[in-house]
Amino acid sequence: MSERVLRILGIPGSLRRESYNRGLLLAAQELAPSGVELDLYELHELPLYDEDLERTGPPDQVLHFKQAIARADALLIATPEYNWSVPGPLKNAIDWASRPPATSPLRRKPVALMGASTGISGTIRAQLALRQIFASTESYVLPKPDLFVREAATLFRDGRLVDRETRERIRQLLEALVAWTLRFSE
């Protein structure tokens, strides 16, 4: 009897190709425990949320994004912090995925958060803002462990996370997300 594969959808909050947050997710792919498949979803193609577009039928890019969320057992979001909050592209993606609320693929979806920035406070405020947003979508945000990566420029070489401590913390976050997800699937 084969063991079920747990599917995690990783979403980088930054559009920048060499972003540290994409780098965190690439490290998470490398560190994923056995039986876990972690795919990345890029937000480049999503149009700005527009209720008129929603009424006439969401664009294909939006439908694809919502289907990717629905297929995933859990989400892992890596976000930078812009102006003490969530980057616009990530907030836009959540706005699309949250509509309509009754059938949103975000409802009851386990979510883990992490983030990297070049500053000294990491992404504490952005992650707090995401927790508030996900409370409104009825998503199950993993309460601990926290992963606020600060001074990220010193932790990466050629786009790859090389800091052992941060890699270990990502591994611990993934293990906690797996346990959290299984808790809600029973």
Side-chain angles (χ1 to χ4, degrees), residues 49-59 66 96 99-100:
Y49 176 75
D50 180 341
E51 194 171 345
D52 291 335
L53 285 177
E54 183 184 27
R55 282 189 190 138
T56 60
K66 291 170 85 169
W96 272 117
R99 307 283 298 185

Side-chain angles (χ1 to χ4, degrees), residues 88-105:
L90 180 56
K91 176 63 168 75
N92 179 63
I94 295 168
D95 289 345
W96 272 117
S98 70
R99 307 283 298 185
T103 59
S104 168

Side-chain angles (χ1 to χ4, degrees), residues 65-122:
F65 178 57
K66 291 170 85 169
Q67 290 165 353
I69 293 171
R71 282 191 305 269
D73 297 300
L75 303 179
L76 176 59
I77 297 178
T79 186
E81 183 170 295
Y82 295 171
N83 301 313
W84 292 15
S85 193
V86 179
L90 180 56
K91 176 63 168 75
N92 179 63
I94 295 168
D95 289 345
W96 272 117
S98 70
R99 307 283 298 185
T103 59
S104 168
L106 295 173
R107 287 187 77 222
R108 300 183 182 102
K109 184 70 67 176
V111 178
L113 306 174
M114 63 180 174
S117 76
T118 56
I120 60 170
S121 65

Side-chain angles (χ1 to χ4, degrees), residues 19-21 23-24 116 149 152-162:
S19 83
Y20 299 122
N21 290 284
L24 291 178
V149 179
T154 64
L155 309 177
F156 288 81
R157 300 285 179 271
D158 300 319
R160 185 172 187 276
L161 179 64
V162 294

